[in-house]
Amino acid sequence: MKILDSIKSPEQLRLMDAALLPQLCDEIRHTIISTISKTGGHLGSSLGAVELITALHYVFNTPEDKIVFDTGHQAYAHKILTGRLSKFNTIRKKGGLSGFLKIYESPYDTFGAGHASTALSAALGMAMARDQKKENHKVVAVVSDGCMTGGLAYEALQNAGQLKPNMLVVLNDNQMFISKRVGALGSFLTKLLTAKYVAAAETEATKFMSNFEIGNNALKLAYRARSILFSGALFAELGFRYYGPVNGNDIAEMTDVLSKIKDIPGPVILHVVTKKGKGYPPAEEKPTKYHGLGIFDAETGETIGKSDKITYTKAFSDALLKLAKEDKNITAITAAMPEGTGLNAFRDAHPDRYYDVGIAEEHAATFAAGLATQGIKPIVALYSSFSQRCYDQIQQDICLQNLPVVFALDRAGLVGEDGPTHHGVFDLSLFRNIPNLIIAAPADENELQHLLKTAFDANKPFILRYPRGSAEGIAMDKEMKVLPIGKGHWMKKGKDLTILAIGNRVYPALKAAEILKEQGINAGVINMRFAKPLDVKIIKEAVKISPNLVSVEDNVLAGGFGSAIAEALADNGLKADLLRLGVKDNFVEHGKQAELYEDIGLSAQEIAKAAAKKFK
């Protein structure tokens, strides 16, 4: 029997002979590779953190001691060791384990997070609550180097340095974000990994101090000089004791170091170096590709079942390259997601006009605003769910000043297996209230390229949102054209009711109309294209044909596209019966996209069923 099969909880893990831990780690790693090859998921980060997570649960008394992970995609070993091995084959499947951490999935999941840079703030809150309640357990935050580029992490660090609670921060440094690490912090951390640099810094500090005779203060000044030169300078200045770097993929070293530092008082940082994709050659060689992926052959690492259709991300990438070739002022910005957003092709073609700002969406937005004031045409490519982090910058720094910044929001709508932290179902409601902002959503890949050209031509703040995954397979026009802003398009007219759809719900709406026709209901369909400004004229045309309207969107109903339709009807005195279909007032769990759209009533069949029930 495998060792792993006998580990039902960290309590059992802590009873093991430490000599067996390397074998246990190998078994955990094999389980992750075997399972994720069948389900898809975040592979590279979790493989790299196996020894680190095993050591944490071996040394600390979890769940009484709290471990807080920054994003959950590195924590598959954590799930396996905390009683979820038997369910691990359900990860990311509908009704199965989440791919991220959830406080209602396990008492060992102390804080849920799918977005980066939150662990330090959450762990600090837990540590202060412990002290306020006169309790005595440990609090550990596991933070990746990529997450340390987020401003929230530094807000927490400075506050922790001020409050000085007993807490441990494990900086899991795999020299990557999701893609290659960038920025000044990346360079700083790279220097930390070089033992020669550390030794040289200490030698230089000693030589420097030997030139002075300063009595009893020599030691203090020498320590300060050492701190300035030594690897822990940044953290020491923030009030942390710094230890490391240590080999995070050596289980014996990790358990030894954690055992020695866990009782050190005050805030402590342990710098741990791990290898993303550790133990799986394809992931070690191409860590970016194997950060997150679909089903693959575990033997070869090759993807299985890839669609022949172009993805929306690829359509966006191709269109942007064409436009950038013609216009030298077009400049692209991403927040550590060049491959995910399709900007990797732009990066390779135009490195002098490409910026990866790290996991710092707020900075990306205001940085783009600064570029725009000087005649540059910036486009910021983000996932829809990540755009939530820069609402204030979009409102204050871009829209208030009416600056021509384009936002390309990938993964709008339901993203599937990544679940509620990544579903892009809030952007229409979030941004529709901001003056000067145009919001568009293409029905297909051909319309996407035209709307991208329209966005740059508009010379105003512009959001272009589009879904994850394969596009519709529509033929692409060779030449891009500017579409009239705020104008919808009749797909078909029907005397009994009209479906007003936007974005990736347009084609399901057309199929719903076909289903309704078989039931004797003649339904029209409008591709509205723009959530803002709204085409009131085409809505009036629809009401003249029939007062029965159905709005369909892949966004929450509260404040979304359907709300805009209802407002337009009320503001213009139009008498109509409106059925709004969209995401109701709840978070949508994980599962395949098609499954989820069916569940929440936004598939073609469900749209037709709801419309027939309302208007038959």
Side-chain angles (χ1 to χ4, degrees):
M1 187 174 78
K2 293 181 179 179
I3 298 173
L4 182 57
D5 292 334
S6 66
I7 304 299
K8 307 301 181 185
S9 70
E11 287 85 351
Q12 290 178 309
L13 170 67
R14 290 189 281 270
L15 296 175
M16 280 182 55
D17 186 331
L20 296 175
L21 291 178
Q23 181 182 338
L24 175 64
C25 290
D26 288 343
E27 292 178 10
I28 292 171
R29 190 167 274 114
H30 175 77
T31 299
I32 292 173
I33 295 168
S34 175
T35 302
I36 302 307
S37 71
K38 300 179 180 69
T39 65
H42 293 93
L43 185 67
S45 296
S46 277
L47 292 179
V50 170
E51 286 83 6
L52 167 59
I53 289 172
T54 303
L56 284 168
H57 280 296
Y58 191 75
V59 171
F60 288 91
N61 185 32
T62 56
E64 181 180 349
D65 290 340
K66 313 300 180 188
I67 301 177
V68 185
F69 290 93
D70 210 314
T71 68
H73 62 248
Q74 62 181 318
Y76 288 176
H78 165 78
K79 286 180 178 275
I80 289 170
L81 289 171
T82 53
R84 286 170 277 184
L85 173 62
S86 63
K87 294 183 179 179
F88 193 64
N89 63 345
T90 70
I91 195 165
R92 293 166 53 86
K93 294 181 180 179
K94 182 183 173 185
L97 295 179
S98 169
F100 296 93
L101 302 183
K102 290 186 175 181
I103 58 175
Y104 51 85
E105 186 177 286
S106 168
Y108 293 92
D109 293 1
T110 58
F111 197 80
H115 293 185
S117 308
T118 61
L120 287 166
S121 294
L124 179 58
M126 293 178 190
M128 297 313 297
R130 172 203 61 203
D131 295 348
Q132 190 172 319
K133 294 162 65 178
K134 311 297 183 186
E135 296 174 346
N136 197 35
H137 56 267
K138 311 294 184 183
V139 177
V140 182
V142 181
V143 185
S144 70
D145 52 314
C147 297
M148 290 295 289
T149 58
L152 180 60
Y154 288 93
E155 294 175 22
L157 280 175
Q158 69 83 23
N159 194 204
Q162 172 198 12
L163 296 172
K164 300 190 184 306
N166 293 338
M167 64 178 287
L168 172 63
V169 177
V170 178
L171 175 58
N172 179 16
D173 182 1
N174 61 23
Q175 306 160 71
M176 298 282 290
F177 293 150
I178 291 169
S179 185
K180 186 178 180 181
R181 187 168 64 200
V182 297
L185 180 67
S187 299
F188 176 73
L189 289 174
T190 299
K191 287 181 179 179
L192 304 193
L193 306 184
T194 307
K196 290 181 180 179
Y197 168 81
V198 175
E202 293 188 77
T203 301
E204 290 303 313
T206 302
K207 287 180 180 179
F208 176 77
M209 293 309 303
S210 68
N211 294 322
F212 299 91
E213 293 182 11
I214 50 178
N216 293 332
N217 290 324
L219 183 62
K220 290 183 179 179
L221 187 56
Y223 176 78
R224 180 166 178 79
R226 179 177 180 274
S227 293
I228 291 171
L229 292 169
F230 184 56
S231 55
L234 171 66
F235 306 114
E237 290 299 315
L238 287 169
F240 282 76
R241 294 172 183 263
Y242 172 88
Y243 296 90
V246 298
N247 184 355
N249 291 128
D250 185 325
I251 186 67
E253 183 173 344
M254 283 307 308
T255 54
D256 181 52
V257 171
L258 288 171
S259 296
K260 289 177 179 176
I261 69 170
K262 72 173 185 173
D263 293 319
I264 292 176
V268 174
I269 283 185
L270 174 63
H271 185 177
V272 172
V273 181
T274 60
K275 186 172 183 61
K276 194 167 187 177
K278 175 72 175 177
Y280 187 52
E284 289 188 16
E285 293 169 11
K286 297 180 179 179
T288 298
K289 176 182 177 182
Y290 288 87
H291 168 76
L293 67 168
I295 298 171
F296 63 97
D297 185 316
E299 294 295 324
T300 65
E302 293 301 315
T303 303
I304 297 173
K306 191 174 181 180
S307 173
D308 293 331
K309 292 182 180 179
I310 189 174
T311 64
Y312 280 99
T313 304
K314 182 67 163 59
F316 160 75
S317 178
D318 291 346
L320 182 61
L321 282 176
K322 289 180 183 178
L323 292 169
K325 187 176 181 180
E326 299 169 2
D327 190 335
K328 304 302 181 185
N329 283 324
I330 290 177
T331 299
I333 303 164
T334 185
M337 296 290 289
E339 285 76 18
T341 60
L343 286 190
N344 53 324
F346 187 100
R347 172 198 63 202
D348 297 342
H350 307 290
D352 57 328
R353 291 189 269 155
Y354 164 83
Y355 300 95
D356 185 342
V357 301
I359 303 177
E361 292 85 359
E362 301 95 324
H363 166 61
T366 302
F367 173 59
L371 288 170
T373 65
Q374 303 304 306
I376 299 299
K377 297 180 179 179
I379 181 165
V380 183
L382 303 171
Y383 286 4
S384 169
S385 65
F386 298 163
S387 71
Q388 298 160 190
R389 312 190 106 186
C390 52
Y391 175 87
D392 184 67
Q393 288 71 27
I394 292 174
Q395 185 207 71
Q396 292 288 310
D397 300 331
I398 295 172
C399 293
L400 180 61
Q401 302 184 95
N402 204 21
L403 294 173
V405 177
V406 178
F407 281 84
L409 301 190
D410 202 322
R411 270 68 167 175
L414 299 180
V415 298
E417 291 88 345
D418 280 344
T421 57
H422 284 59
H423 291 318
V425 296
F426 300 102
D427 55 81
L428 293 181
S429 303
L430 273 171
F431 301 119
R432 192 172 65 82
N433 58 76
I434 304 178
N436 293 331
L437 181 62
I438 299 167
I439 305 175
D444 55 50
E445 60 269 44
N446 190 43
E447 195 165 81
L448 188 156
Q449 68 168 345
H450 296 319
L451 283 173
L452 184 60
K453 182 174 178 62
T454 304
F456 283 113
D457 184 76
N459 200 38
K460 286 179 68 65
F462 200 111
I463 285 178
L464 178 62
R465 69 187 300 270
Y466 45 93
R468 177 186 190 180
S470 298
E472 298 294 330
I474 302 297
M476 302 289 283
D477 295 334
K478 291 185 178 180
E479 298 296 325
M480 284 179 268
K481 60 186 178 183
V482 174
L483 300 177
I485 292 174
K487 297 297 179 183
H489 170 65
W490 279 102
M491 306 290 282
K492 69 184 295 289
K493 294 186 177 181
K495 63 182 180 62
D496 295 324
L497 63 89
T498 301
I499 304 173
L500 299 91
I502 192 166
N504 78 336
R505 293 300 90 190
V506 170
Y507 283 92
L510 281 170
K511 292 179 183 177
E514 295 174 4
I515 295 169
L516 289 169
K517 186 177 180 180
E518 294 174 358
Q519 300 175 24
I521 300 173
N522 190 350
V525 178
I526 300 175
N527 171 13
M528 291 295 291
R529 283 183 181 157
F530 292 87
K532 185 179 184 180
L534 199 65
D535 190 345
V536 177
K537 182 180 178 182
I538 205 169
I539 295 172
K540 289 179 178 179
E541 292 174 9
V543 172
K544 283 184 179 179
I545 296 172
S546 169
N548 300 326
L549 303 179
V550 180
S551 68
V552 185
E553 61 189 302
D554 56 347
N555 188 83
V556 292
L557 287 170
F561 168 68
S563 293
I565 301 293
E567 291 163 13
L569 293 173
D571 293 346
N572 290 275
L574 300 173
K575 294 183 178 180
D577 195 356
L578 174 64
L579 170 64
R580 295 186 304 132
L581 299 179
V583 180
K584 296 180 175 61
D585 191 24
N586 57 267
F587 290 103
V588 180
E589 292 300 326
H590 60 277
K592 293 186 181 300
Q593 282 177 297
E595 292 176 331
L596 299 180
Y597 278 121
E598 183 78 15
D599 284 352
I600 66 174
L602 293 179
S603 66
Q605 289 284 350
E606 292 300 313
I607 292 169
K609 185 187 297 184
K613 182 179 179 181
K614 174 75 173 178
F615 297 116
K616 195 166 186 179

